[in-house]
Amino acid sequence: TIRNRVRAETAAEEISNRYRTLLHDIQDGVIQTDLSGKILMVNEAVSQMFGYQAPGELIGKDIAAFWPDTDSRAELRQKVSLQEHINDFPLSIRDRQGQTQEFSVNASIRRDSMGRMDGLVAVCRNVTEQRRIEREKKDLLTKAASIERISSLGIMVASVAHEISQPLQAGKLAVESVLYWQAQGKELSRKNQLDNIHRAADAFQRISRIVQHLRDFVRPPEQGSAPSPTVNQAVLSALDLMQARLKDHAINVRLDLQADMPVPGGNLSRLDEAVINVLHNALQALEST
């Protein structure tokens, strides 16, 4: 009997040593707390993450000292209580030096011998560097999209300069004709005066419309500030901006529009850009024909 007990104790000690070695060597942090948030056990990884020399320095401390966000702590406890286990819960920990570290946590209920919840067990991974890289990647993608829009804007500017010059010249001629005949001492008929005024107004209205297209392209209007834009509206807007260049290439555009639909995402300028790029590519492809 004594021999069996010694063997059992030796086996239990070996298992315990293996468990401690596993906790010591694992790269992820393992931490246990009671329901009040008091730290009961941590492994070596946690002590390093929190800026301590050894796990024993953290035993007995309140987790709130490192995780001051009350709402986040309450949210984690509530979710674990309802689901018994939760994965990839994001939280920010303040280490011993006061630096904020970002963690991804998998947490489970810790139960006593009666099966009652008496704390939490969590495995945490420091994702501070990963989050930083993700933010930098997002910033780079945003900058790349901005550069792409600037490139597209260059195509538009070339078109707009040509588009504006024509109605500007037409409006100028209409006004100058009235001034010319007055300078000659010849009064135009009321009908001719109105015709010239209408031609000038139409030309200036077209310039205004082109400028508005360009403004919307560079700075899209806020969502909800206007009725939802439609696909056909985007096509017509793009053709309006490219009209003069199409005429210069002796290209006639035949429209075959289907039943209209809202622009996905409500961003008219982005669809304008797409249609303009398609037209621009078509013009380049037809330059040799």
Side-chain angles (χ1 to χ4, degrees), residues 178 181-182 184-190 193:
V178 176
W181 288 112
Q182 285 188 340
Q184 297 298 317
K186 297 180 180 180
E187 188 72 25
L188 288 176
S189 67
R190 180 176 177 82
Q193 289 184 13

Side-chain angles (χ1 to χ4, degrees), residues 149 215-222 267-270:
R149 283 183 63 76
R215 183 182 294 115
D216 291 342
F217 181 83
V218 177
R219 186 185 58 201
E222 294 181 2
N267 195 332
L268 180 64
S269 67
R270 296 298 290 175

Side-chain angles (χ1 to χ4, degrees), residues 66-82:
F66 311 98
W67 185 14
D69 189 341
T70 305
D71 293 338
S72 183
R73 293 202 310 273
E75 181 184 357
L76 175 63
R77 179 171 173 177
Q78 181 183 25
K79 287 184 175 181
V80 173
S81 298
L82 293 173

Side-chain angles (χ1 to χ4, degrees), residues 39-237:
I39 296 175
L40 303 177
M41 187 281 293
V42 297
N43 68 344
E44 188 73 26
V46 171
S47 61
Q48 293 176 1
M49 291 173 182
F50 286 19
Y52 286 80
Q53 296 295 324
E57 297 180 70
L58 285 164
I59 303 302
K61 294 184 179 296
D62 192 331
I63 193 65
F66 311 98
W67 185 14
D69 189 341
T70 305
D71 293 338
S72 183
R73 293 202 310 273
E75 181 184 357
L76 175 63
R77 179 171 173 177
Q78 181 183 25
K79 287 184 175 181
V80 173
S81 298
L82 293 173
Q83 304 173 25
E84 295 204 0
H85 184 83
I86 183 171
N87 292 327
D88 298 324
F89 186 86
L91 59 86
S92 297
I93 291 290
R94 188 170 56 201
D95 63 22
R96 196 175 190 179
Q97 287 73 41
Q99 300 294 320
T100 299
Q101 305 287 337
E102 296 181 63
F103 286 84
S104 176
V105 171
N106 296 341
S108 302
I109 291 176
R110 178 176 177 271
R111 299 185 182 277
D112 61 17
S113 59
M114 303 295 293
R116 295 170 298 192
M117 177 178 176
D118 70 348
L120 299 178
V121 179
V123 177
C124 51
R125 175 169 296 180
N126 192 326
V127 294
T128 304
E129 185 65 14
Q130 178 183 336
R131 294 288 187 266
R132 182 188 66 79
I133 292 173
E134 288 173 355
R135 286 192 291 269
E136 288 182 355
K137 182 179 179 181
K138 184 177 180 180
D139 290 341
L140 287 174
L141 289 175
T142 301
K143 290 177 181 177
S146 178
I147 292 172
E148 182 183 350
R149 283 183 63 76
I150 291 173
S151 175
S152 298
L153 183 60
I155 296 172
M156 284 193 61
V157 167
S159 299
V160 168
H162 195 59
E163 291 287 348
I164 287 179
S165 65
Q166 289 190 343
L168 183 62
Q169 186 67 20
K172 179 182 176 183
L173 287 174
V175 173
E176 286 181 345
S177 66
V178 176
L179 296 177
Y180 171 79
W181 288 112
Q182 285 188 340
Q184 297 298 317
K186 297 180 180 180
E187 188 72 25
L188 288 176
S189 67
R190 180 176 177 82
K191 180 181 182 302
N192 286 336
Q193 289 184 13
L194 288 175
D195 287 344
N196 282 320
I197 292 173
H198 283 306
R199 281 197 294 271
D202 290 342
F204 297 144
Q205 181 64 33
R206 172 155 175 75
I207 293 173
S208 176
R209 191 168 65 250
I210 292 171
V211 170
Q212 184 61 48
H213 285 326
L214 188 61
R215 183 182 294 115
D216 291 342
F217 181 83
V218 177
R219 186 185 58 201
E222 294 181 2
Q223 297 294 328
S225 61
S228 297
T230 65
V231 173
N232 288 351
Q233 184 180 346
V235 172
L236 294 174
S237 175

Side-chain angles (χ1 to χ4, degrees), residues 17 23 26 64 71 97 144 212 216 242 247 258 284 288:
N17 288 335
L23 287 179
I26 194 172
D71 293 338
Q97 287 73 41
Q212 184 61 48
D216 291 342
M242 296 287 289
K247 286 182 179 178
Q258 305 302 309
Q284 288 183 322
S288 61

